[in-house]
Amino acid sequence: MRTLNLLSPYIDSIRGFDKITKVEEFINIRFGFESKQYERLNEIDITHKIKFEHITDKKNLHTHIEKYLMPETIKLINIEPPLTLNVGHWFLNDRTEAFFIHMFVNENIYDYDYDNINSIIFLEQVASTRLFYKLCILSAFNTLLKHNHIDHIFSFIKTKFILKQALALGGKVITSINNRSAPPPNNEALLKHTIIVKIDIIKLLSNKDFLFFCLQSRVELEANN
């Protein structure tokens, strides 16, 4: 159905997804230990008063988002044109409530092949509330539905809990990165190394928990305008 461009109409026709998904349970736990990350986000100066904006290249990547990214991540993937970035961020009352940064690459993420873009790297996603988290996930979901040539997602994972969730959604560990500039974690929830996980798009979209979570979130957000 994806190959025939029938996937979006089919997904729009799905009903009966009113159950608590594992993804919903995941975000309830996630917001229990990510408040410090959000506090760090809002220590950065905000210079724009906008509700939402998409950015497609690094030249327009706002300073406060660029500063937030891990130095190791920036050095590793070298965010420079002609790589295509998909950046969305939300503001409310001079505060950044959420942002996400996706980068379109070839699945061989260390040897860039600009003529064969078939993957997305989730560089970062930060959200202040469950509502904004759902908006970020739906933005990624819509991107997957609109780009049939995208076959894989890569994600940089720094906590044991998120790693467990990524593996449950069909991901597999492909390598780890030694965070040389970062001190050893004194928090049991943190991983000693940043893990790169690869997820097959078809496996992800076929996962009922992920699909039903996205459909539930879309209905909820539409109902609340």
Side-chain angles (χ1 to χ4, degrees):
M1 296 183 78
R2 186 173 189 243
T3 302
L4 297 173
N5 292 317
L6 296 174
L7 185 59
S8 292
Y10 168 69
I11 286 178
D12 289 339
S13 72
I14 295 176
R15 298 292 182 270
F17 42 78
D18 55 344
K19 69 165 189 170
I20 300 298
T21 66
K22 291 180 181 178
V23 181
E24 188 77 42
E25 295 173 354
F26 160 76
I27 68 170
N28 289 334
I29 299 174
R30 181 176 189 261
F31 280 97
F33 63 76
E34 290 208 351
S35 59
K36 289 186 179 180
Q37 186 180 30
Y38 176 61
E39 289 171 2
R40 176 188 163 205
L41 171 63
N42 274 291
E43 289 173 357
I44 302 169
D45 292 335
I46 303 302
T47 57
H48 295 74
K49 294 183 179 180
I50 55 177
K51 292 183 180 180
F52 180 79
E53 184 178 4
H54 259 113
I55 303 170
T56 57
D57 62 74
K58 183 178 182 288
K59 290 182 290 186
N60 294 320
L61 190 62
H62 294 312
T63 303
H64 62 283
I65 293 179
E66 189 172 19
K67 285 182 180 179
Y68 184 86
L69 287 172
M70 297 184 302
E72 296 90 351
T73 301
I74 292 177
K75 184 177 180 181
L76 175 72
I77 55 105
N78 188 23
I79 309 177
E80 293 290 348
L83 295 179
T84 301
L85 296 179
N86 183 29
V87 180
H89 50 118
W90 288 265
F91 291 96
L92 182 64
N93 299 327
D94 288 342
R95 290 175 64 89
T96 297
E97 295 295 339
F99 73 84
F100 62 82
I101 304 179
H102 305 155
M103 185 172 71
F104 292 83
V105 296
N106 179 263
E107 65 180 294
N108 190 352
I109 60 177
Y110 297 106
D111 295 317
Y112 299 125
D113 179 359
Y114 302 115
D115 296 324
N116 187 22
I117 301 300
N118 66 350
S119 303
I120 296 178
I121 297 179
F122 285 2
L123 288 181
E124 191 65 271
Q125 176 178 305
V126 178
S128 60
T129 66
R130 292 166 178 80
L131 171 67
F132 284 106
Y133 178 84
K134 290 178 179 181
L135 284 168
C136 287
I137 293 296
L138 282 180
S139 294
F141 181 62
N142 289 336
T143 297
L144 299 182
L145 294 183
K146 291 176 181 177
H147 295 83
N148 285 346
H149 64 289
I150 299 300
D151 297 322
H152 309 285
I153 292 174
F154 293 89
S155 182
F156 295 88
I157 296 178
K158 311 179 201 72
T159 67
K160 296 177 182 178
F161 179 69
I162 295 179
L163 176 60
K164 182 179 178 180
Q165 179 68 20
L167 297 178
L169 291 175
K172 63 178 182 179
V173 175
I174 62 168
T175 190
S176 62
I177 305 168
N178 185 13
N179 303 325
R180 295 178 180 176
S181 63
N186 55 8
N187 186 333
E188 291 185 1
L190 296 177
L191 295 165
K192 292 182 179 179
H193 305 286
T194 297
I195 302 295
I196 299 182
V197 169
K198 180 180 182 179
I199 303 177
D200 180 88
I201 297 298
I202 297 301
K203 286 185 178 180
L204 183 63
L205 294 177
S206 302
N207 184 288
K208 272 190 175 181
D209 281 304
F210 176 76
L211 180 60
F212 283 14
F213 171 79
C214 291
L215 295 176
Q216 286 172 348
S217 298
R218 190 161 66 183
V219 170
E220 174 190 343
L221 293 169
E222 287 176 350
N224 289 283
N225 196 26

